[in-house]
Amino acid sequence: MSPTSINPGGTSTVTLTLQGETSVQSTPTDLVLVLDESGSISPTDFTTLKSFANDVVTEVANAGLFAQGGRVGVVSFASSQELIIGLSNNQIAVNTAITNNPQSGGTTCISCGLNEAASILPHAAGRNQVVIVITDGNANGGDPTSAAATALQSEAEVFAVGVGSGINQTTLNIIASAPDATHTFPVADFNSLAAILQALVAAVNVPGATNPQIVVTVANGWDYVSGTAAANLGAAVSGEALAGFTVKRANLGAELLTITYDVVHEGTPCGSLPVNESVAYTDDEGATVSFPAVNVYVNCAPVADAGPDVSVPEGSTVALDGTGSSDTEGPLAAYAWSGADAAVGSITDAGSAIATYNGLDDGVDTATLEVTDAGGLTDTDTATVTVTNVAPSLTLTTCPTDPNQIGTNVSFAGSFTDPGTADTHTMTVNWGDGTSTGPSAATSPVGGTHPYATAGIFDITVTVADDDGGSDSKTCAFVVVFDPNGGFVTGGGWINSPAGAYPADPGASGRANFGFVSKYQKGATVPTGSTEFQFQAGNLNFHSDAYQWLVVAADKAQYKGTGTVNGASGYGFMLTATNGSPDKFRIKIWKTADSTIVYDNQIGSGDTANPTTALAGGSIQIHKG
C-alpha cells in the first residue's frame, strides 16, 4: 500500500497480488487413458484411435505434465480389461506402448476399463488424478458401468469421448464427472477425433484456477473509494460498495493477478489499523489462498491544552501553560499561541509551550494555543485571560511647609504612575477650605496653585483617578494660612490635666497652669509673644522661645513655635485655643529631634482637631484685627 502512513481522513492505495499456477500439471498429475478395443471398431479406426491417444500424450507433455512430476498410464477394455502400460513418467515409453498395442476385439465391458483405471491410480493426496475414456459403443447389457463410474469419479476427474452413433449421451454422462457439458465430447467418427484434440487437452490441462473470485471487504474505520478498484488480465470488478468489491476472472493460469484499490480513512480510530476485514478467495477447484494482512498507520491527532484560565493585573505578566498538550506518537513539532486583543494585552514567546501574556489594560481576553504534530496534524485550545485594573499610584513631591499669608498662592506638585498604559486619568483637588478643582484631564507630573481667602490650617487632598474606576489620593496636611491683620490671642488660667497626657508618667494628673500671648506685629510675617505651661504633677515647666506662625479664624486660634522644658532647649510646641462657653485649651509639646511626645492633654487627636479640655479657671480671649 502507499502511503503506509496517513493522517485521519487520508487515502491509501492497496495492492493485492496473486500468482496463478501453470495448470493442474503444476501439481503432479496422473493421467490414465482408457481405450475401447472392442470388435465394433475397425482396424483402421483402431489405428486412428491409437494415433489420437498418442497426440493426447504429446500435448499434455507439451503442457508440462511430465516436467511437473506427472505420469501417464494406458488401459484398454473389450470383453475384459487390459493394462497397456502402468503409470509412467517416460513419454516415449507411453507413446511406444500405445503404438505397439494390438486390438483384442470382443464385446464392450466399459466397467472393466473403468475398474482397471482405478486400480492403477495411486489414490494419493497431493496429486491430481485424471481419466479419459474413449469408446464407440454402449456397455454390454447388465454391465455395472454406473457403479464403476461412481467409484472412479470419487478418485479422479473423468472425461468421456463418445465416437459415432453406437453410444448415447446418457452413457457418456454416466461415465464422466459433472458437469456433463465440460466433461463429455461426442464426435461423429474416429476421423473426427483430431477436431476435439485441443478442446480435450484444454479441458484436461485446466488452468490452476477456474472461475477464481476474490471478495475484498474493508475493515471498520475505512471506506472503499468507489471506482478505484482495478485488476489486470482482464479480470472484472463488480459489487462495489463502501464495504468493498469483488474481482472475477474465468480462469487463472501461470499469471500474476494484480488488484489495486483505494481506501479512505473515516477519521477514527488511529494507530496501526488493518485495512481489510477479509480478502476471501474461491475457485471451482476449492483452492484456498491466505492473503497477508495489510496495515496502514493512521497518525493520531495531537491534543492541545492551553492550561487553566488566568488573571493578571494590568502592567504585569502571567504564564500561559501549554505543557499539558500531548501527542501519542511522540513530542509535538510546534506550539503557536495567538489571539491576544491588542487593546487588552500581548503574547511573547508565542512559539513555546509556555508563553508570556502581558496585561496592558483591564478586560477579558482569549489566548489560543495551536499544536502541530510530526505528521502535520493540529489541534487548538483556548484559555481565558482576565486583566484586572490597577489603580494609579500618586506621590506628592512638594507640599506647602511654611506658613502662607492669605491671598498668596499655595502650591503643590506631584507625579503618578499607572501600569495600565492605555488608561487615561483625571485629577481632583480638595483644597480644604470648601473649594475644589477638577476633575480634569491629567498626565504626570501634576500640580496646582490656590490662593486662600481666609486664615486657617487646611489639608490639601489630591486624587488621581483612571478611566477604569481606580484612584489614589494623597494629602498635603497641616497647610497653615495666616492673616497678619486677623487679630491675636491671649489667655491665662489653669486646666485639670487628664491622666495619660504626660507619657513619662501616664498616671500623673491634676492642675496645670498656663499663660500666653501671640500676635503679629505690624508688617511682620512671624508672630511674637510668650507662652508658659506648668504641670506640677509631672514636674514639667515649659517656656517658649520663638513663634513660627499664628492662625486666628473666628473663635479659634492656633500657633506653633519652639521652647524649653525645664530650661533645656530642643522642643517644639503647638497651642490651640477657642474662645467660647466654656473656653478650651490644648497644648502639645514634643522633642524636635525625634518627635517624641512630651505632653499632650488631647493625646491621639489630629493637630487640626478642636480642643476639648475646658478651662478650670481663667479665660482665653481672641482679639479681632
Side-chain angles (χ1 to χ4, degrees):
M1 65 281 188
S2 178
T4 57
S5 179
I6 62 173
N7 287 334
T11 300
S12 183
T13 299
V14 181
T15 301
L16 301 176
T17 59
L18 178 63
Q19 178 64 60
E21 295 181 340
T22 301
S23 68
V24 291
Q25 275 82 346
S26 61
T27 299
T29 299
D30 292 324
L31 172 63
V32 178
L33 299 179
V34 180
L35 306 179
D36 187 350
E37 293 185 357
S38 63
S40 60
I41 302 174
S42 70
T44 300
D45 287 340
F46 188 68
T47 299
T48 302
L49 172 59
K50 292 195 293 182
S51 177
F52 178 74
N54 276 326
D55 289 342
V56 171
V57 174
T58 299
E59 289 299 321
V60 296
N62 291 338
L65 184 144
F66 292 108
Q68 295 294 336
R71 299 172 296 182
V72 176
V74 183
V75 300
S76 65
F77 65 92
S79 298
S80 63
Q81 69 270 14
E82 179 184 356
L83 176 63
I84 298 173
I85 186 171
L87 290 172
S88 172
N89 58 11
N90 187 322
Q91 179 188 352
I92 295 175
V94 174
N95 287 136
T96 300
I98 294 173
T99 301
N100 294 334
N101 177 51
Q103 183 179 7
S104 62
T107 59
T108 305
C109 180
I110 295 177
S111 64
C112 295
L114 299 180
N115 291 333
E116 183 67 12
S119 70
I120 69 170
L121 288 173
H123 312 290
R127 298 184 69 86
N128 293 321
Q129 300 183 122
V130 181
V131 174
I132 298 176
V133 179
I134 305 175
T135 181
D136 75 336
N138 293 320
N140 300 326
D143 183 74
T145 304
S146 179
T150 300
L152 180 61
Q153 290 166 18
S154 69
E155 299 289 344
E157 185 174 13
V158 181
F159 295 88
V161 178
V163 183
S165 59
I167 182 168
N168 59 41
Q169 184 64 40
T170 300
T171 300
L172 294 179
N173 293 347
I174 292 172
I175 296 171
S177 300
D180 298 334
T182 59
H183 288 75
T184 61
F185 295 85
V187 295
D189 52 44
F190 284 97
N191 289 328
S192 300
L193 288 173
I196 68 166
L197 175 62
Q198 296 303 322
L200 179 61
V201 171
V204 173
N205 288 336
V206 293
T210 52
N211 296 317
Q213 175 176 283
I214 301 170
V215 179
V216 177
T217 304
V218 298
N220 289 335
W222 300 91
D223 288 334
Y224 162 68
V225 180
S226 180
T228 62
N232 65 342
L233 305 179
V237 176
S238 63
E240 291 182 287
L242 288 178
F245 58 92
T246 298
V247 173
K248 296 180 180 179
R249 193 167 190 259
N251 53 62
L252 182 63
E255 302 156 306
L256 183 65
L257 177 63
T258 301
I259 303 169
T260 61
Y261 56 97
D262 289 350
V263 290
V264 61
H265 184 247
E266 294 178 348
T268 56
C270 60
S272 182
L273 304 178
V275 169
N276 299 321
E277 178 71 25
S278 64
V279 179
Y281 173 89
T282 58
D283 61 25
D284 290 349
E285 288 69 41
T288 60
V289 175
S290 295
F291 288 89
V294 177
N295 279 53
V296 172
Y297 190 87
V298 180
N299 181 24
C300 296
V303 177
D305 183 353
D309 296 340
V310 292
S311 178
V312 58
E314 58 184 7
S316 298
T317 63
V318 68
L320 299 172
D321 189 354
T323 57
S325 303
S326 62
D327 183 49
T328 57
E329 283 84 13
L332 289 164
Y335 297 82
W337 292 89
S338 63
D341 184 342
V344 180
S346 64
I347 297 174
T348 54
D349 301 322
S352 301
I354 299 178
T356 299
Y357 186 93
N358 309 283
L360 302 178
D361 196 10
D362 63 299
V364 178
D365 204 355
T366 298
T368 299
L369 172 62
E370 180 181 78
V371 295
T372 305
D373 67 11
L377 295 180
T378 62
D379 188 38
T380 59
D381 189 33
T382 60
T384 299
V385 183
T386 302
V387 181
T388 58
N389 184 53
V390 177
S393 177
L394 172 65
T395 300
L396 295 179
T397 55
T398 303
C399 283
T401 55
D402 296 330
N404 298 273
Q405 187 172 327
I406 60 172
T408 61
N409 284 329
V410 177
S411 302
F412 73 89
S415 63
F416 68 88
T417 59
D418 192 334
T421 56
D423 287 353
T424 59
H425 301 83
T426 59
M427 180 179 72
T428 302
V429 182
N430 184 339
W431 295 98
D433 62 349
T435 63
S436 297
T437 56
S440 57
T443 58
S444 184
V446 293
T449 299
H450 178 66
Y452 285 87
T454 58
I457 299 175
F458 306 102
D459 290 339
I460 302 174
T461 301
V462 183
T463 301
V464 173
D466 63 22
D467 58 332
D468 300 313
S471 64
D472 189 22
S473 297
K474 293 293 189 295
T475 299
C476 288
F478 216 79
V479 177
V480 177
V481 179
F482 67 91
D483 181 0
N485 300 313
F488 61 96
V489 61
T490 59
W494 57 276
I495 62 170
N496 289 316
S497 177
Y502 183 54
D505 185 0
S509 63
R511 182 173 177 137
N513 299 313
F514 66 87
F516 62 86
V517 59
S518 178
K519 66 183 295 184
Y520 283 99
Q521 300 295 333
K522 186 175 182 179
T525 58
V526 177
T528 59
S530 177
T531 299
E532 294 279 347
F533 180 76
Q534 295 179 347
F535 178 41
Q536 294 178 354
N539 192 27
L540 172 67
N541 190 350
F542 174 80
H543 180 73
S544 66
D545 56 19
Y547 286 176
Q548 296 171 345
W549 50 263
L550 164 66
V551 174
V552 178
D555 293 329
K556 180 179 178 181
Q558 189 171 35
Y559 61 92
K560 182 181 180 183
T562 59
T564 62
V565 172
N566 298 334
S569 60
Y571 295 87
F573 81 101
M574 183 181 296
L575 188 147
T576 307
T578 57
N579 182 189
S581 299
D583 296 342
K584 296 179 181 179
F585 171 88
R586 177 188 182 185
I587 189 169
K588 177 181 177 181
I589 304 169
W590 65 90
K591 292 181 180 180
T592 57
D594 57 13
S595 299
T596 301
I597 300 298
V598 175
Y599 181 89
D600 185 355
N601 61 300
Q602 201 168 319
I603 198 164
S605 298
D607 289 346
T608 59
N610 290 327
T612 57
T613 303
L615 271 58
S619 67
I620 293 172
Q621 294 293 322
I622 294 178
H623 307 273
K624 305 300 182 180

